[in-house]
Amino acid sequence: MEYFATFGINGGVSHGFGIKYPDYFERTENIIADNHEIAFNNAMKYAKKLADDHLSDPETGLTRVRLLNLIGPERKVEFDREKAVVETTMLEHLLRL
C-alpha cells in the first residue's frame, strides 16, 4: 500500500564561505508498506536519513526532522507525535565525514 509522509526539516543552509543560516522546510515522500505500523517505521527510517543528509541549524547544533503527517490509502494514520522526531547533532555530522 502507498502512504504519504510529510516531514518538517529544521536544519541549516549555507550560502557559501562556510556561513550557515537556520532553515526550515517541509517535504512529502511516498512510503510503501503493508500496514500502518510498518509505514510509521519506514517513515521514521526515512526521517533519520533526512536528518543525516541536511546541515545542522547553527543556533541549536542539530538537524531535527519531525514526522508531521502520515496518510494511508483510506485515512490519516494516528501516531505518537512525541516519538516522531529524529535529531542528528553537528558532531554526528562531522564524524560521518
Side-chain angles (χ1 to χ4, degrees):
M1 293 186 286
E2 187 174 36
Y3 291 79
F4 296 94
T6 303
F7 302 93
I9 303 166
N10 184 356
V13 64
S14 176
H15 295 290
F17 304 107
I19 299 171
K20 290 194 305 184
Y21 301 95
D23 186 38
Y24 177 84
F25 64 98
E26 293 180 5
R27 179 175 175 168
T28 300
E29 293 292 331
N30 292 357
I31 305 289
I32 303 298
D34 293 333
N35 59 50
H36 296 339
E37 184 178 341
I38 294 171
F40 176 77
N41 289 337
N42 289 348
M44 293 312 297
K45 288 177 188 174
Y46 196 79
K48 176 63 175 155
K49 180 185 177 334
L50 290 172
D52 289 345
D53 291 348
H54 288 82
L55 294 173
S56 296
D57 182 331
E59 294 177 0
T60 63
L62 298 170
T63 304
R64 182 175 291 126
V65 178
R66 182 177 303 274
L67 179 60
L68 302 174
N69 289 307
L70 184 60
I71 300 172
E74 299 168 1
R75 69 188 195 303
K76 187 174 178 181
V77 177
E78 297 299 320
F79 56 89
D80 185 350
R81 303 245 181 244
E82 296 297 317
K83 294 181 181 177
V85 178
V86 176
E87 295 179 340
T88 301
T89 66
M90 194 176 298
L91 178 59
E92 289 173 304
H93 281 124
L94 291 172
L95 291 174
R96 292 186 74 214
L97 294 177

